[in-house]
């Protein structure tokens, strides 16, 4: 009995007592899985942002070297400059993901707070746009239709990137123009203008871009007929002031024009596409929103773990 007491006392002397506060300081409250998930997720978007900056910068340099140059005289010049918009989006993604990436890797709560605030601003802006479109659909559609028609159509020949974008949309969605006036929207462009015949010497006068044509590609040669839209806006009986015999032959009635080019505006065509794929579009939008909320939750969780680690 006496020997067991001596052994017990000997063990107590061998194992030093560690206070609770000292043990808590050695504990790690930061989850490595959470930390490196945040890091790699934002690292990927950081690379994407850098790629978009490169693409946008290349497009801007190409514009600068062209005859037109880079014109930024109004807000519309910024909104409809494809290269500039890509570069701006790239800069936003680059710096926001950089804050999340470095904030997670270096356990910097300041950068993580900045990252969370930026994501919250993006989410609220998207939510506001969705609410406005749901509550005021006709007003929003009218505003977008008028604004896009007055700017995108007019700037079609001024920016090669915008021109390619419009051609892509018209070919993919099988539409012409933007508003319900469909191909007649192109009368607002100075090259396709059909209302000021005396002041418009362009050979494209009273026409539309080739991307409006239903059969722009020659099936035998595989070449695109860029003149397929010439004279589409020209009514019957007014061919005498159209330049060239080809333009005279292209004079069409309203009915004939609709047989040659797409008679649906692109805004209406995109609306129809969304309605036909409503579940896919809604599911994608919901998925993006949930992903943003989830990433914000991860950022706030990691921020809380870092602050708890520092407080112990």
């Amino acid at each position: 009995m006496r020997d067991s007491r001596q052994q017990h006392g000997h063990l107590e002397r061998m194992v030093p007592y560690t206070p609770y506060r000292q043990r808590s300081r050695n504990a790690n409250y930061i989850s490595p899985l959470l930390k490196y998930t945040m890091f790699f997720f934002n690292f990927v978007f950081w690379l994407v942002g850098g790629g978009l900056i490169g693409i946008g910068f290349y497009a801007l340099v190409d514009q600068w070297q062209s005859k037109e140059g880079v014109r930024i005289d109004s807000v519309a010049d910024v909104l409809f400059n494809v290269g500039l918009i890509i570069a701006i989006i790239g800069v936003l993604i680059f710096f926001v993901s950089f804050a999340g990436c470095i904030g997670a890797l270096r356990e910097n709560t300041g950068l993580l707070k900045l990252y969370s605030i930026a994501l919250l601003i993006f989410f609220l802006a998207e939510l506001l746009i969705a609410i406005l479109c749901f509550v005021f659909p006709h007003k929003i559609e009218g505003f977008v239709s008028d604004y896009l028609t007055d700017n995108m159509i007019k700037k079609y020949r001024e920016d090669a990137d915008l021109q390619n974008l419009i051609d892509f949309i018209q070919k993919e969605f099988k539409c012409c123009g933007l508003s319900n006036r469909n191909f007649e929207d192109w009368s607002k462009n100075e090259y396709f203008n059909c209302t000021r015949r005396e002041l418009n010497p362009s050979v494209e006068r009273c026409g539309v871009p080739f991307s409006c044509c239903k059969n722009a590609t020659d099936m035998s040669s595989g070449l695109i007929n860029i003149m397929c839209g010439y004279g589409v806006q020209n009514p019957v009986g007014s061919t005498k002031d159209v330049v060239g015999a080809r333009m005279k032959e292209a004079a069409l009635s309203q009915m004939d024009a609709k047989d040659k080019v797409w008679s649906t505006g692109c805004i209406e065509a995109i609306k129809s596409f969304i309605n036909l794929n409503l579940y896919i579009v809604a599911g994608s939008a919901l998925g993006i929103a949930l992903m943003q909320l989830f990433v914000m939750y991860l950022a706030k969780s990691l921020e809380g773990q870092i602050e708890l680690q520092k407080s112990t």
Side-chain angles (χ1 to χ4, degrees), residues 136-312:
F136 308 106
H138 299 295
K139 290 184 178 180
I140 296 296
E141 181 182 352
F143 171 77
V144 171
S145 176
D146 294 339
Y147 191 76
L148 292 181
T149 303
D150 289 341
N151 289 280
M152 290 186 72
I153 296 294
K154 290 180 179 179
K155 297 178 183 296
Y156 177 76
R157 289 297 189 201
E158 297 177 10
D159 184 350
D161 297 318
L162 179 62
Q163 178 177 320
N164 291 332
L165 176 63
I166 293 174
D167 287 336
F168 173 79
I169 292 173
Q170 291 190 146
K171 287 187 290 185
E172 289 298 316
F173 290 95
K174 298 180 179 179
C175 56
C176 186
L178 293 172
S179 70
N180 293 329
R181 296 179 67 242
N182 50 75
F183 65 85
E184 293 180 356
D185 284 339
W186 287 103
S187 63
K188 294 185 178 182
N189 183 279
E190 62 180 346
Y191 294 95
F192 300 108
N193 186 284
C194 201
T195 56
R196 302 173 61 193
R197 299 168 185 246
E198 298 79 10
L199 301 178
N200 183 11
S202 172
V203 295
E204 295 179 310
R205 182 177 60 192
C206 295
V208 295
F210 75 92
S211 54
C212 283
C213 297
K214 293 182 178 181
N215 297 304
T217 305
D218 188 341
M219 300 302 294
S220 59
S221 63
L223 299 176
I224 296 176
N225 178 16
I226 60 173
M227 303 175 69
C228 64
Y230 283 17
V232 167
Q233 298 182 66
N234 198 46
V236 170
S238 59
T239 60
K240 58 183 180 181
D241 57 349
V242 177
V243 178
R246 187 178 294 271
M247 292 291 288
K248 293 180 180 180
E249 295 173 358
L252 303 170
S253 66
Q254 188 81 353
M255 188 64 67
D256 292 335
K258 291 183 178 180
D259 291 336
K260 190 174 182 181
V261 299
W262 303 111
S263 58
T264 305
C266 288
I267 292 178
E268 187 63 33
I270 293 173
K271 281 176 58 182
S272 299
F273 174 82
I274 293 174
N275 290 331
L276 291 173
N277 301 274
L278 186 59
Y279 291 113
I280 297 176
V281 174
S284 300
L286 181 62
I288 293 173
L290 291 177
M291 184 180 69
Q292 288 178 301
L293 292 174
F294 179 67
V295 173
M296 280 191 282
Y297 169 76
L298 292 181
K300 296 304 292 184
S301 298
L302 182 59
E303 181 185 335
Q305 291 178 3
I306 294 172
E307 291 178 346
L308 180 61
Q309 181 72 35
K310 291 180 178 181
S311 64
T312 56

Side-chain angles (χ1 to χ4, degrees), residues 62-73:
D62 188 57
Q63 289 180 29
W64 183 265
Q65 294 176 345
S66 65
K67 295 180 180 180
E68 292 80 8
V70 180
R71 294 172 50 186
I72 305 178
D73 300 326

Side-chain angles (χ1 to χ4, degrees), residues 71-123:
R71 294 172 50 186
I72 305 178
D73 300 326
S74 63
V75 177
D77 290 333
V78 176
L79 293 177
F80 299 106
N81 188 319
V82 179
L84 184 59
I85 289 296
I86 291 175
I88 292 173
I89 293 174
V91 168
L92 289 175
I93 294 175
F94 183 88
F95 283 104
V96 172
S97 57
F98 178 81
C101 184
I102 301 301
L105 185 64
R106 303 299 299 172
E107 300 176 4
N108 188 310
T109 55
L111 288 177
L112 288 175
K113 287 179 180 178
L114 177 64
Y115 176 76
S116 299
I117 292 173
L119 287 182
L120 180 61
I121 292 174
F122 294 155
F123 178 78

